[in-house]
Amino acid sequence: MILDAALHLLRDVPVEELTMSAIAKHLSVAPMTLYTYVESHQELLAGVSDLILQRLELDIDSEACWQDQLRDWLLSVHDHLRTHPWSMRLIDRNSTVGGRWLEVEAELIRILQRSGLTGSDLAYCVRWVAQAPPAALLLNPALERNEEEVELKSMTRVMDGLSERDIDALQAIVPHVAQQ
């Protein structure tokens, strides 16, 4: 209930402005009541990060070739994160990797193994491919599809942390990741 309330509030306020007081007010409880369930603000943010990833469902055709499965993996992750454009900042703040993300990456590993990759080549590709959906999320022109203004503001805040050189580099992969 607390995590859902925080997730709901994040539709209207940036991650940096999500406070225990705001969540308590939303739930009509005293702020100290929240500490019965979470030890700290950081633990709360980690919980919201985990909740976002728990709700990620991969839509991959198990009978498809590995190339189509890879595309399906990328689009599933991208589309889910796109529903929470601020989520990458939140997930980035969470220093632990949750079990759900490891499950998502394990599916990616299986797909890339079907392509014949092994060892360090496989590890390199997993690391590279896993970063593609967040990059597309940050730079995808599809956000022009009349998304709410708050989502666009959140995206702007995330991109403010990137150098122009990084933005240029990421834009090179966006059309290939975000194609539908």
Side-chain angles (χ1 to χ4, degrees):
M1 184 154 100
I2 294 171
L3 298 179
D4 284 321
L7 194 56
H8 178 77
L9 286 172
L10 283 168
R11 294 179 189 161
D12 301 320
V13 299
V15 172
E16 297 79 13
E17 294 177 22
L18 181 68
T19 64
M20 297 298 262
S21 296
I23 297 166
K25 183 177 178 181
H26 182 76
L27 293 171
S28 302
V29 299
M32 292 308 293
T33 303
L34 299 179
Y35 290 100
T36 304
Y37 303 98
V38 294
E39 289 185 25
S40 66
H41 184 256
Q42 185 59 35
E43 182 180 313
L44 176 92
L45 293 177
V48 173
S49 173
D50 290 342
L51 181 62
I52 292 167
L53 293 175
Q54 284 295 328
R55 293 180 177 172
L56 168 59
E57 294 182 28
L58 295 174
D59 184 18
I60 299 172
D61 180 357
S62 61
E63 302 298 319
C65 65
W66 73 266
Q67 294 94 332
D68 289 343
Q69 289 180 340
L70 180 58
R71 181 181 180 275
D72 291 345
W73 186 93
L74 287 163
L75 289 173
S76 293
V77 174
H78 172 267
D79 290 348
H80 179 73
L81 295 178
R82 190 170 166 264
T83 64
H84 308 289
W86 40 262
S87 63
M88 290 316 302
R89 290 189 71 165
L90 184 62
I91 292 168
D92 188 46
R93 287 177 172 214
N94 184 4
S95 59
T96 61
V97 176
R100 178 61 184 143
W101 181 250
L102 294 177
E103 293 170 359
V104 170
E105 278 200 346
E107 183 61 31
L108 174 61
I109 291 167
R110 286 188 289 274
I111 292 167
L112 292 173
Q113 286 173 328
R114 285 184 205 105
S115 78
L117 290 170
T118 60
S120 61
D121 290 339
L122 175 63
Y124 176 80
C125 285
V126 168
R127 183 171 177 229
W128 184 84
V129 171
Q131 293 172 355
L137 173 69
L138 291 173
L139 301 169
N140 189 349
L143 284 175
E144 298 171 355
R145 296 182 198 157
N146 295 325
E147 295 293 339
E148 295 179 20
E149 184 176 319
V150 67
E151 291 179 10
L152 293 174
K153 287 180 182 175
S154 295
M155 295 304 304
T156 301
R157 280 193 297 276
V158 172
M159 291 180 64
D160 283 346
L162 296 174
S163 71
E164 193 170 314
R165 181 173 179 251
D166 288 343
I167 291 171
D168 288 343
L170 291 168
Q171 284 176 333
I173 65 168
V174 170
H176 306 287
V177 174
Q179 287 178 351
Q180 294 192 22

